[in-house]
């Protein structure tokens, strides 16, 4: 019998981490590595600066998203950005079925990389308008926007927040660098 999003939530409440639910089946993911952490740290710093100036969205980190029902599929992207117009309700949750405006995934481990095309397809089918897939191995960012062709950005190219995160932008290569504070 397939597990549900409520079964998944019980796993989280019992302290289990790095889990997803795919088609009603619990899937264990490798813990994020240092490269994954660098992307999240670097992107979080740049995103927070842009979001402080233009506060239309707020970020959540490692929040479980119920993207499909019967059988349930729950994904845990690195970052999900939600509209402030709906309040800050997602901050207090372990699991939500609220669709974010932007999802950032980090393809940092083999299991995350292997499932990435299914993840992207699921998010787009769910109606997520903006996806950024950061690949530490190739140091590329794949940008998906509803109604547009996917783009791949290389380290010397600029990742712009466009209409989703006004005022955000950084060189792709900077996402994958060790944070400056680590070097000191």
């Amino acid at each position: 019998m397939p597990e549900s999003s409520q079964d998944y939530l019980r796993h989280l409440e019992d302290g289990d981490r790095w889990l997803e639910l795919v088609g009603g089946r619990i899937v264990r993911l490798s813990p994020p590595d240092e490269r994954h952490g660098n992307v999240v740290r670097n992107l979080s710093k740049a995103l927070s600066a842009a979001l402080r100036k233009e506060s239309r969205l707020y970020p959540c980190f490692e929040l479980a998203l119920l993207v499909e029902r019967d059988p349930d599929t729950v994904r845990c992207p690195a970052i999900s950005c939600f509209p402030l117009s709906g309040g800050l309700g997602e901050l207090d949750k372990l699991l939500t079925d609220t669709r974010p405006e932007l999802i950032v995934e980090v393809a940092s481990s083999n299991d995350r990389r292997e499932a990435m095309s299914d993840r992207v397809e699921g998010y787009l089918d769910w109606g997520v308008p903006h996806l950024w897939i950061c690949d530490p191995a190739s140091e590329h960012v794949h940008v998906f926007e509803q109604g547009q062709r996917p783009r791949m950005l290389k380290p010397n190219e600029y990742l712009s927040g466009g209409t989703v995160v006004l005022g955000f932008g950084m060189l792709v290569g900077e996402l994958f660098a060790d944070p400056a504070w680590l070097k000191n």
Side-chain angles (χ1 to χ4, degrees), residues 11 43 77 120-121 141 148 166 178:
H11 284 279
L43 190 55
V120 167
E121 183 179 336
V141 174
Q148 296 190 18
L166 300 174
D178 286 337

Side-chain angles (χ1 to χ4, degrees), residues 59-81:
C60 292
F61 300 89
E62 300 292 336
L63 176 62
L65 305 174
L66 178 58
V67 300
E68 193 174 322
R69 293 185 186 272
D70 298 322
D72 292 354
T73 294
V74 174
R75 299 290 190 181
C76 290
I79 303 171
S80 304
C81 293

Side-chain angles (χ1 to χ4, degrees), residues 124-139:
L124 293 174
D125 288 348
W126 189 34
V128 174
H130 305 275
L131 299 171
W132 298 346
I133 311 302
C134 304
D135 186 337
S138 67
E139 295 193 355

